[in-house]
Amino acid sequence: MVLHGGPGSGCNTGMLDWFDLSRQRVVLFDQRGAGRSAPSASLAHNCTRDLILDIERLRQHLRIERWLVVGGSWGATLGILYAACYADRLTGLALRGAFLASVREITWFFQSLKALVPDAWGRLTYGWAPLQKQDVLQSLTSLLHNGTPDEQRDAAARWGRYEADVMQAMTGVEVSKSERSGEARLGKYLLQSHYLSQRCFVTERQLLRSARNTARVPTIMIHGTQDWICPPENAYRLRRFMPHAELRWVVKGTHTPADPAILEALQQAIHDLRNAV
C-alpha cells in the first residue's frame, strides 16, 4: 500500500518502480479528493481520521489479510497514524522523509526557508502587502478558498512554482514542468491548504504518541541529510518514540524519490521489509 504525500498530490505510476512487481502486488491509493479520487478536490468529510478509515476499508475490500505500508512525507504521517490503529494488519512500515504535521515545519517551509531560497520566496510573495507576507500559508489559503477564480488560479500557480523552485535548489536538478492542468493544480492546493491550515487535524504530540503504539510493526525510516522540505530533525524526533525502528540516513539525500540516492534507499528498505516477513 502506497500513501502519497501532499496532502493532495495523488499517486503516479512511477511509484511502481519502487517495487519488484514479479513478487509484490501494489496498491496505489489516491486519498479523498486527490488524484483520480472522486469527487475531485472535495473537502467535505475530508480529514485525517477519514483517510485512516478509508485505508482500512480498502484493505478489507481487496481482501488483503496484511500488507506492507509505504509512506513518504505526509504519507509517512498517515502511515504512522494508520499503523497505530491497525498494527496487526501490517507486515511492515517504510517511512521516507517523515512529516510530523507541526507548526514548526509549516513555519519553516513557508517563512524560514526564505533564507535558503530568497528568489523563490520573492516570486511566491511578489506584489503582496507586508501583512500577507507575514503568514504565507494563511494568505495562500485565503486566496484559494475565498478569492476570485483568477486569484485562486494565481495562488495555486505561485504555490506550485515555489515547490518546484525549492526542489530544484535542493537537488540541483531542473524540475520538469508539471503535466497537471490548471484545474488539477488548483484541486491539489485546495486540498493541501485545507489540511495544512488545520495542522492536518492532528498535533505533533498526538502523532508521536501514535508512533509509540507501532512497536509491534517492523519499521524502517529513511531520511536525507539535505532534506529541506521535512528537515532531518524530524527523524531524530520520531526515532525517540519509535526505538524499534531502524533509521537509515541517506547522506546528501534530499526529499524526493526522484533523487537517485533516496530512490535506492527506499527500494532497499522495501526489499528488506518484504524479506523479513
Side-chain angles (χ1 to χ4, degrees), residues 229-266:
I229 310 297
C230 295
E233 177 188 10
N234 288 7
Y236 280 112
R237 285 176 177 260
L238 194 55
R239 185 66 171 77
R240 288 175 53 204
F241 293 84
M242 302 180 74
H244 65 285
E246 180 183 353
L247 172 57
R248 299 179 179 179
W249 289 109
V250 182
V251 178
K252 296 185 179 180
T254 57
H255 185 69
T256 169
D259 178 335
I262 294 294
L263 175 60
E264 181 179 0
L266 180 59

Side-chain angles (χ1 to χ4, degrees), residues 111 121 125 127-140:
Q111 305 295 151
W121 197 85
T125 61
W128 283 6
L131 191 60
Q132 288 178 291
K133 296 180 181 182
Q134 289 178 15
D135 192 337
V136 171
L137 175 59
Q138 176 56 42
S139 298
L140 288 169

Side-chain angles (χ1 to χ4, degrees), residues 150-199:
D150 284 345
E151 289 173 332
Q152 289 180 310
R153 286 189 291 268
D154 178 65
R158 286 173 184 255
W159 195 333
R161 187 168 56 245
Y162 180 64
E163 284 188 347
D165 286 346
V166 171
M167 200 68 71
Q168 183 169 326
M170 180 175 55
T171 62
V173 177
E174 185 174 356
V175 177
S176 58
K177 186 176 180 180
S178 174
E179 296 180 357
R180 291 179 185 269
S181 66
E183 183 178 349
R185 181 173 57 210
L186 177 58
K188 172 187 175 180
Y189 292 112
L190 279 169
L191 281 167
Q192 198 157 337
S193 57
H194 169 66
Y195 271 81
L196 294 186
S197 65
Q198 299 297 321
R199 305 298 184 255

Side-chain angles (χ1 to χ4, degrees), residues 37-144:
S37 176
S40 179
S42 175
L43 306 182
H45 308 292
N46 195 338
C47 69
T48 301
R49 181 62 182 168
D50 293 318
L51 301 185
I52 294 169
L53 294 175
D54 284 347
I55 297 168
E56 180 57 12
R57 289 190 192 101
L58 183 55
R59 185 197 64 78
Q60 294 172 354
H61 174 72
L62 296 174
R63 299 181 181 179
I64 297 172
E65 183 66 23
R66 300 171 71 225
W67 54 8
L68 168 66
V69 173
V70 180
S73 198
W74 156 250
T77 315
L78 197 54
I80 292 167
L81 294 170
Y82 172 72
C85 295
Y86 300 99
D88 59 335
R89 297 306 179 190
L90 276 74
T91 61
L93 183 60
L95 305 174
R96 170 192 57 81
F99 173 59
L100 303 186
S102 67
V103 174
R104 166 182 51 84
E105 293 164 276
I106 292 171
T107 301
W108 160 255
F109 184 75
F110 289 103
Q111 305 295 151
S112 305
L113 194 55
K114 173 186 177 182
L116 297 180
V117 288
D119 289 340
W121 197 85
R123 285 188 289 272
L124 173 66
T125 61
Y126 178 78
W128 283 6
L131 191 60
Q132 288 178 291
K133 296 180 181 182
Q134 289 178 15
D135 192 337
V136 171
L137 175 59
Q138 176 56 42
S139 298
L140 288 169
T141 300
S142 178
L143 290 167
L144 284 163

